[in-house]
Every structure is written in structure tokens, then in C-alpha cells.
């Protein structure tokens, strides 16, 4: 694939791709104390996508190590790893396995799949924008995607919270998951 980002489309994809974790980000955003947002990311992410001649045959699998959560605050990260939130000792991974891929435009697609957090699985659909493809200086065929989806953490058994004196709660139920993916074609 030597197309520039401006001319490549989802239809140009076929093959097997591996997430390049050092050039990708799987992050999240949560409201904190009802007045601001806390952002974080998972630093240990692995995954593959296999695309045949038709997107309906595509398969995406992603595994995130829960212990790799990073909000730039050690105390908060420790709390998020605890049984109050991710219970990483019992549930060390967060997984996503696609159940369907649908092209929604020349450079956009929806990936529907089973998201498992803390042992609970729910179906989610993540809209993605194909940012393009290029051959990098090392000869790798590389593609980029960006997407996000809002989930309710309580749907995954992540229920801890603390009430605020002024009303509301310390941590929002709604969490934005953000994906900035760079993947390298392997086959």
C-alpha cells in the first residue's frame, strides 16, 4: 500500500495487521468530581486484524493488560488496579473480539464486538476513521485508524464511587474509550 492518506480508502485494505503498540494509544476519559476530566491510557496493548477481500470477513482481536493503566498519578493508578475498579489480580486482561465490521463511508467503518472488562462481556460498536496507509522508512506497510466509544463502567461491574458534599459523585459512570491505532501489515 503506497497510497497517501488522502487517497487510500477502507476498500484498499486486505491482509493481516498487527498493532504497533509503540505508535498506538488506547486511552480513556472520565469526569472527576463533576468538574473536570481525567485522562489515562493503557501502555500494554496487543492485537491483530485480518481483512479478506470483503470487510464482512474481517476479524479484530485486542488484548490490554489491566496493570498497564497509566493516569500519570501512581496513587490513582493503584486504586484503578484494585478491586474497587479493574480488579487486575483476578482479571489481568481487558479484551475485544470483533463480531462484525461494516463500512460506513469511503474512509469510515464500524467495528462491533465483545468487550470484556472485569469478567463481564458486552457488545459495543466503535466507529473508526481510516487515517490512511503508507510504507514507512523500514519498508513496513502501515495503516492508521482513530475511533472512540462511550461505555457505562457499571455495565462491567466497575461500580465504586464516592458522593460529593455538593451533590453528584467523584467518578462518572460514563467513560470515553479512545483508540489511536497504527498497525503494520504482516501477511
Amino acid at each position: 500500500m503506497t497510497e497517501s492518506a488522502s487517497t487510500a480508502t477502507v476498500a484498499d485494505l486486505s491482509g493481516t495487521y498487527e498493532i504497533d503498540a509503540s505508535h498506538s494509544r488506547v486511552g480513556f476519559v472520565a469526569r472527576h468530581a463533576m468538574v473536570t476530566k481525567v485522562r489515562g491510557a493503557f501502555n500494554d496493548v496487543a492485537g491483530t486484524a485480518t481483512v479478506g477481500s470483503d470487510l464482512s470477513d474481517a476479524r479484530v482481536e485486542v488484548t490490554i493488560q489491566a496493570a498497564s493503566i497509566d493516569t500519570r498519578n501512581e496513587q490513582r493508578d493503584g486504586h484503578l488496579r484494585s478491586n474497587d475498579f479493574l480488579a487486575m489480580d483476578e482479571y489481568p486482561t481487558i479484551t475485544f473480539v470483533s463480531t462484525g465490521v461494516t463500512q460506513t463511508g469511503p474512509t469510515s467503518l464500524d467495528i462491533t464486538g465483545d468487550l470484556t472488562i472485569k469478567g463481564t462481556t458486552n457488545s459495543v460498536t466503535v466507529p473508526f476513521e481510516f487515517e490512511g496507509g503508507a510504507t514507512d522508512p523500514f519498508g513496513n506497510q502501515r495503516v492508521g485508524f482513530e475511533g472512540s466509544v462511550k461505555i457505562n463502567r457499571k455495565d462491567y461491574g466497575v461500580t465504586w464511587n464516592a458522593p460529593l458534599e455538593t451533590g453528584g459523585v467523584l467518578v462518572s459512570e460514563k467513560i470515553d474509550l479512545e483508540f489511536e491505532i497504527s498497525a503494520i501489515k504482516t501477511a
Side-chain angles (χ1 to χ4, degrees):
M1 174 177 305
T2 58
E3 297 88 359
S4 69
S6 61
T7 61
T9 67
V10 174
D12 298 326
L13 299 174
S14 66
T16 300
Y17 298 83
E18 186 173 315
I19 291 176
D20 177 0
S22 64
H23 293 98
S24 297
R25 179 179 174 275
V26 175
F28 58 90
V29 181
R31 291 296 261 162
H32 181 261
M34 308 299 288
V35 297
T36 192
K37 294 179 181 177
V38 169
R39 296 180 185 279
F42 293 94
N43 295 325
D44 190 348
V45 177
T48 59
T50 303
V51 182
S53 59
D54 186 323
L55 277 178
S56 65
D57 297 331
R59 178 124 173 112
V60 178
E61 295 183 11
V62 178
T63 301
I64 300 167
Q65 298 302 318
S68 73
I69 197 166
D70 182 1
T71 65
R72 299 181 340 231
N73 180 294
E74 255 183 72
Q75 184 177 0
R76 179 175 45 226
D77 294 348
H79 191 202
L80 292 171
R81 290 180 187 114
S82 77
N83 289 340
D84 283 345
F85 286 92
L86 296 177
M88 64 156 235
D89 289 337
E90 187 175 352
Y91 306 102
T93 60
I94 297 168
T95 61
F96 177 83
V97 177
S98 67
T99 57
V101 178
T102 305
Q103 186 169 349
T104 57
T107 60
S108 58
L109 51 88
D110 285 348
I111 301 178
T112 299
D114 294 329
L115 176 63
T116 303
I117 301 173
K118 201 174 173 183
T120 300
T121 302
N122 290 299
S123 180
V124 298
T125 298
V126 185
F128 277 95
E129 188 66 28
F130 177 49
E131 298 298 322
T135 302
D136 69 21
F138 308 102
N140 298 310
Q141 291 184 353
R142 184 178 293 276
V143 294
F145 289 89
E146 290 187 12
S148 66
V149 66
K150 189 177 294 288
I151 64 168
N152 186 323
R153 65 187 178 88
K154 286 187 172 187
D155 292 343
Y156 295 90
V158 182
T159 58
W160 183 91
N161 226 327
L164 300 173
E165 288 181 17
T166 56
V169 291
L170 186 62
V171 183
S172 62
E173 290 179 18
K174 302 289 185 185
I175 306 295
D176 291 319
L177 299 179
E178 302 172 327
F179 306 91
E180 298 165 8
I181 304 298
S182 178
I184 297 172
K185 190 171 188 176
T186 61

